[in-house]
Amino acid sequence: MTSQFTTTVRGLDSGETTVPLRAQIVRAAAKVTCETGWSSVRMGQLADLIGVSRQTVYNEIGSKQKLAEEMVLAELRNFLVLVESAFEANPGDVVAAIRDACRNVLEFAGDNPLLRAVVSASHGSDNDLLPLLTTQSQALIATAKAVVRDRLTAYTVPLSEHELEAATDLLVRAVLSHVMRPSGTPERSSADIAMIAARILGTTA
């Protein structure tokens, strides 16, 4: 059962705010991971950062493996919110929706080293999160593809089910590739991906 315990966060962000304990622990773990790497994360260290006991952290999270999963899920939720908002803002223009979704994600990733680490691990890059993501990496990609594919079906595109599945896979992997290794600005990269998407989907850029 998830605890409803909350405390006031001090030092992790500017100002003070009251958030659920689980979210505080995940936030603290993300901060330490970005600064010194996942292998340096310790439950006692997280407890000190948020001002609770080490046992409280264990009671809330359970294990370091579970904490890693929570971190990945948090980043995936952020990723998908950006994608969903872009499609909702462009209900009549699938190319604009794809462009905005790509730009949103790439801009977010530019300021988010944890998201880049998660995406890199899901693609087999050598970082210390990789051993913890072997079972979740494909699920991460599959979830992103499912959301994008579901959104694309709301538009009129002249593709079969198989072709739409292949197009979705290509688009998601292209964005994740740019998250890992940017080759230009988010604006330029998203415009290029949208241009290619227009050709694949048989619509106008």
Side-chain angles (χ1 to χ4, degrees):
M1 180 180 296
T2 301
S3 168
Q4 297 303 311
F5 179 83
T6 61
T7 62
T8 300
V9 180
R10 295 179 175 85
L12 294 182
D13 298 302
S14 58
E16 298 183 353
T17 184
T18 301
V19 297
L21 176 60
R22 181 175 292 262
Q24 292 182 45
I25 296 170
V26 172
R27 182 186 299 180
K31 179 177 184 292
V32 175
T33 299
C34 292
E35 291 177 351
T36 59
W38 172 251
S39 60
S40 70
V41 174
R42 299 289 183 271
M43 295 301 198
Q45 176 188 26
L46 303 181
D48 291 341
L49 281 172
I50 62 179
V52 299
S53 71
R54 182 171 176 270
Q55 188 59 49
T56 297
V57 173
Y58 272 109
N59 289 344
E60 183 68 25
I61 296 296
S63 66
K64 193 174 178 182
Q65 171 69 40
K66 181 64 176 176
L67 177 58
E69 294 172 5
E70 292 278 352
M71 285 173 49
V72 172
L73 288 174
E75 292 311 306
L76 179 58
R77 283 192 292 269
N78 291 333
F79 176 95
L80 295 180
V81 164
L82 295 172
V83 172
E84 295 271 15
S85 64
F87 278 95
E88 289 172 2
N90 296 279
D93 190 339
V94 64
V95 176
I98 291 170
R99 182 198 64 225
D100 291 352
C102 293
R103 187 183 65 247
N104 289 349
V105 169
L106 294 177
E107 287 178 346
F108 177 67
D111 296 322
N112 192 314
L114 179 58
L115 178 60
R116 292 198 300 274
V118 169
V119 170
S120 296
S122 74
H123 280 59
S125 295
D126 185 17
N127 69 53
D128 58 2
L129 275 173
L130 180 58
L132 301 162
L133 296 175
T134 53
T135 58
Q136 294 104 315
S137 60
Q138 291 307 311
L140 185 153
I141 296 173
T143 301
K145 287 168 55 178
V147 169
V148 173
R149 186 184 183 285
D150 180 64
R151 285 294 184 168
L152 289 178
T153 58
Y155 300 85
T156 302
V157 292
L159 298 179
S160 67
E161 288 293 318
H162 174 72
E163 290 170 337
L164 184 59
E165 187 72 29
T168 301
D169 182 74
L170 179 63
L171 289 173
V172 170
R173 292 182 184 277
V175 174
L176 295 181
S177 176
H178 280 280
V179 168
M180 291 171 57
R181 296 182 179 85
S183 61
T185 65
E187 291 77 10
R188 178 58 183 269
S189 296
S190 59
D192 289 345
I193 293 172
M195 175 188 65
I196 295 170
R199 294 295 186 92
I200 294 173
L201 299 176
T203 187
T204 304

